[in-house]
């Protein structure tokens, strides 16, 4: 695994120290996880949700969830009713 | 007016019944627990934020009672809420710097249901960051301590919740369990801790770690306390489509310690040489109690147990890498200081916010999960883990044809020293060997105290039930607690 490449995929800055540490640790962890390749899983459908779930629909009706003020109250920066970010495009 | 009734160390069912009968005021209950918490919490760091409206809410409850209104089944009960659950108006951090100033504009369904039952949130309890850990050492808000030995971990990730109940700071706390994060701290802290069947309890308003595994559940001093509070928080929620339509059974009313006819499966894989002698002794004692109460033990096999940690740490890290993508510093959460230089592009904006906001363990798991989902590796890791997960669940379903519940140790050994395992992630992950497979299978499971080591460290026993059959597991736990009778033991820190 190239930790730097994966960190970029995850949009995650790592310090040089973290990168080196993870490179070593994750190598060992992945080697350990490789044991599952020995298990015969031919024709086995992966299990995602561990109990059966029925899809339920609600009525397609307008409803109030959060007010604009509530939705903005944790904004690191705001401008009126907008979330403000540094220029990034 | 009568003597001041000392309420600390009571069961929540007793507190609630007394408040309803008017024998004690909710204000008095909350005052006592607040005073006790103020005194003891600094040594434990179990609570990381207090609800400064708790006393006011208790007074309002007393007014409600005086007006003749009917009170709920948790009337006046102070509760510790793991900082993983959103509490409207009360800071919620999930143990992370990335949410250090986050004030939720809404409460989790679990919190709302507790409040509807007239419980009072006393405060937020400490945890490993984003529930990723088995020791409560990765919290950005500092380590929590085990009340039985302050040099040891309370377990994790719900360490603060477990410690709070063990130290009698509250009679009830709520934790979350993804791979063992309620059961292991319950075992380490000598309290009862329950993870319900996946889909029993709504995850709405709970900070998501691994969505196919996360479940909230109660910590209490007795099985009855956990049964009642589990009833209150369980049930269909239209805000969480994975909740079950099944009605919530009357677990408290149907508690029964007569185990005649109960078949208890003992998987040989749970009784390996890795289990410490003292742990084995406590678990064996619990098994003897089960037999004495009419239960029959049956040898069973769960042959894929040894692959559980690998499957779990692939599934949960993949799900976490997706769930934690929302922490980007745009609409909420930590944003880096860009006053001295704008980011070159949006990727740098995200990467700096996330790089500075997340702790080491979280980053490690995001990297692992991202890799295991990435093109070229997805089949060998995430998909393969999903396939083995189905086989693991099949193992359990097959075992439950021969037994009604399954028992074993929660961990190989009791609470370890602070700092002992934090530098070796794989060693920390292997802690979870006995708890992860029940989570992967979505089964209800719990820890009930079974004894102590020679140096007074608690040891719990793990009980797993079939899907949606919590009553069986609660009954076995109830039988054990009645005979083990360690309810009267309290950690020295509170004296």
């Amino acid at each position: 695994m190239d930790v730097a490449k994966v960190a970029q995929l995850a949009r995650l800055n790592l310090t040089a120290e973290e990168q080196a540490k993870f490179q070593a640790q994750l190598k060992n962890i992945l080697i350990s996880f490789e044991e599952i390749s020995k298990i015969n899983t031919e024709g086995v459908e992966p299990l995602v949700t561990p109990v059966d779930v029925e899809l339920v629909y609600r009525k397609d009706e307008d409803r109030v969830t959060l007010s604009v003020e509530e939705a903005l109250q944790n904004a690191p920066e705001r401008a009126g009713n907008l979330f403000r970010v540094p220029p990034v495009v | 007016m009568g003597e001041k009734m000392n309420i600390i160390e009571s069961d929540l069912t007793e507190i609630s019944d007394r408040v309803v009968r008017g024998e004690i005021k909710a204000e008095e209950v909350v005052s006592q627990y607040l005073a006790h918490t103020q005194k003891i919490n600094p040594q434990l760091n179990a609570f990381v934020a207090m609800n400064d409206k708790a006393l006011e809410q208790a007074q309002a409850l007393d007014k409600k009672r005086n007006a003749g209104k009917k009170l709920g089944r948790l009337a006046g009960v102070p509760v510790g809420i793991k900082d993983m659950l959103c509490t409207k108006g009360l800071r919620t951090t999930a143990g992370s710097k990335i949410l250090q100033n986050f004030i939720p504009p809404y409460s989790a369904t679990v919190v709302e249901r507790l409040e509807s039952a007239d419980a009072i949130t006393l405060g937020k309890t400490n945890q490993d960051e984003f529930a990723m850990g088995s020791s409560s050492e990765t919290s950005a808000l500092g380590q929590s301590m085990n009340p039985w030995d302050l040099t040891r971990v309370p377990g994790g990730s719900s360490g603060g919740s477990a410690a709070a109940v063990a130290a009698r700071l509250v009679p009830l706390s709520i934790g979350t369990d993804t791979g063992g994060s309620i059961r292991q701290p319950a075992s380490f802290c000598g309290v009862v801790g329950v993870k319900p069947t996946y889909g029993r309890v709504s995850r709405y308003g709970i900070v998501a770690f691994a969505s196919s595994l996360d479940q909230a559940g109660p910590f209490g001093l007795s099985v009855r306390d956990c049964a009642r509070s589990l009833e209150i928080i369980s049930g269909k929620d239209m805000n969480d489509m994975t909740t079950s339509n099944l009605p919530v059974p009357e677990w408290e009313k149907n508690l029964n310690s007569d185990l005649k006819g109960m078949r208890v499966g003992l998987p040989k894989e749970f009784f390996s040489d890795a289990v410490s002698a003292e742990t084995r002794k406590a678990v064996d004692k619990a098994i003897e109690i089960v037999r004495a109460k009419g239960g029959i033990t049956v040898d069973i096999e769960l042959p894929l147990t040894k692959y559980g940690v690998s499957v779990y740490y692939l599934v949960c890290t993949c799900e976490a890498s997706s769930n934690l993508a929302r922490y980007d510093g745009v609409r909420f959460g930590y944003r880096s200081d860009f006053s001295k230089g704008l980011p070159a592009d949006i990727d740098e904006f995200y990467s700096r916010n996330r790089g500075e906001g997340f702790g080491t363990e979280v980053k490690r798991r995001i990297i692992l999960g991202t890799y295991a989902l990435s093109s070229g590796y997805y089949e060998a890791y995430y998909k393969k883990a999903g396939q083995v997960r189905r086989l693991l669940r099949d193992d359990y379903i097959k075992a439950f044809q021969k037994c009604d519940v399954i028992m074993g140790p929660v961990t190989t050994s009791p609470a370890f020293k602070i700092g002992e395992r934090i530098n070796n992630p794989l060693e920390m992950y292997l802690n979870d060997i006995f708890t992860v497979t029940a989570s992967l299978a979505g089964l209800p499971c719990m820890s009930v105290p079974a004894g102590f080591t020679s140096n007074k460290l608690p040891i719990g026993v793990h009980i797993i039930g079939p899907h949606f059959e919590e009553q069986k597991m609660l009954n076995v736990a109830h039988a054990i607690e009645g005979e083990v009778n360690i309810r009267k033991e309290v950690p020295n820190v509170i004296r």
Side-chain angles (χ1 to χ4, degrees), chain B residues 119-373:
Chain B
I120 312 252
T121 298
L122 207 74
K124 308 303 291 295
T125 54
N126 199 22
Q127 54 166 94
D128 282 300
E129 186 181 359
F130 282 101
M132 299 183 186
S134 312
S135 63
S136 301
E137 289 175 288
T138 67
S139 173
L141 303 168
Q143 169 74 51
S144 287
M145 270 58 78
N146 190 318
W148 297 90
D149 179 337
L150 300 177
T151 68
R152 291 179 189 264
V153 302
S157 60
S158 312
S161 287
V165 171
R168 278 62 172 172
L169 307 187
V170 278
L172 170 67
S173 68
I174 300 296
T176 64
D177 189 312
T178 302
S181 290
I182 288 177
R183 292 161 283 156
Q184 185 250 38
S187 177
F188 280 10
C189 289
V191 296
V192 184
V194 180
K195 184 197 87 71
T197 310
Y198 183 86
R200 264 297 181 205
V201 175
S202 172
R203 291 175 299 105
Y204 180 73
I206 301 182
V207 172
F209 160 22
S211 308
S212 78
L213 294 158
D214 296 341
Q215 274 293 281
F219 289 95
L221 293 170
S222 68
V223 175
R224 181 172 303 278
D225 282 7
C226 286
R228 179 181 295 194
S229 42
L230 193 60
E231 283 182 48
I232 300 295
I233 64 175
S234 295
K236 182 82 190 164
D237 180 16
M238 284 303 282
N239 285 321
D240 175 359
M241 281 302 105
T242 60
T243 53
S244 169
N245 287 315
L246 290 175
V248 180
E250 293 183 290
W251 292 310
E252 182 189 349
K253 184 159 149 220
N254 293 316
L255 273 180
N256 189 352
S257 53
D258 176 0
L259 303 182
K260 223 180 338 281
M262 183 82 75
R263 298 163 302 162
V264 177
L266 305 176
K268 65 177 202 273
E269 292 83 3
F270 285 6
F271 294 88
S272 70
D273 291 336
V275 180
S276 79
E278 286 190 294
T279 299
R280 186 62 195 263
K281 190 158 152 234
V283 173
D284 284 347
K285 186 166 82 165
I287 292 168
E288 276 318 302
I289 291 169
V290 163
R291 290 186 180 125
K293 297 297 255 178
I296 305 156
T297 55
V298 180
D299 290 330
I300 59 168
E301 278 185 8
L302 293 171
L304 295 172
T305 297
K306 64 178 191 247
Y307 300 108
V309 168
S310 296
V311 172
Y312 173 76
Y313 278 97
L314 281 169
V315 170
C316 78
T317 55
C318 287
E319 293 186 4
S321 72
S322 175
N323 278 327
L324 270 61
R326 71 195 63 177
Y327 302 100
D328 55 15
V330 175
R331 293 150 297 136
F332 61 94
Y334 175 86
R335 183 185 288 187
S336 183
D337 177 8
F338 293 99
S339 60
K340 293 193 188 69
L342 294 177
D345 54 28
I346 196 161
D347 289 341
E348 195 196 315
F349 177 62
Y350 290 154
S351 300
R352 262 181 61 179
N353 294 336
R354 293 160 59 77
E356 289 170 24
F358 286 134
T360 306
E361 182 60 33
V362 169
K363 287 186 182 179
R364 184 167 27 238
R365 295 197 193 193
I366 291 173
I367 297 291
L368 182 48
T370 304
Y371 178 71
L373 283 171

Side-chain angles (χ1 to χ4, degrees), chain A residues 11 25 39 45 50 74, chain B residues 103 347 364 384 390 393:
Chain A
R11 304 298 187 265
Q25 288 172 338
I39 305 167
E45 198 51 39
N74 285 290
Chain B
I103 314 272
D347 289 341
R364 184 167 27 238
K384 186 75 178 182
R390 185 175 293 281
R393 190 183 73 161

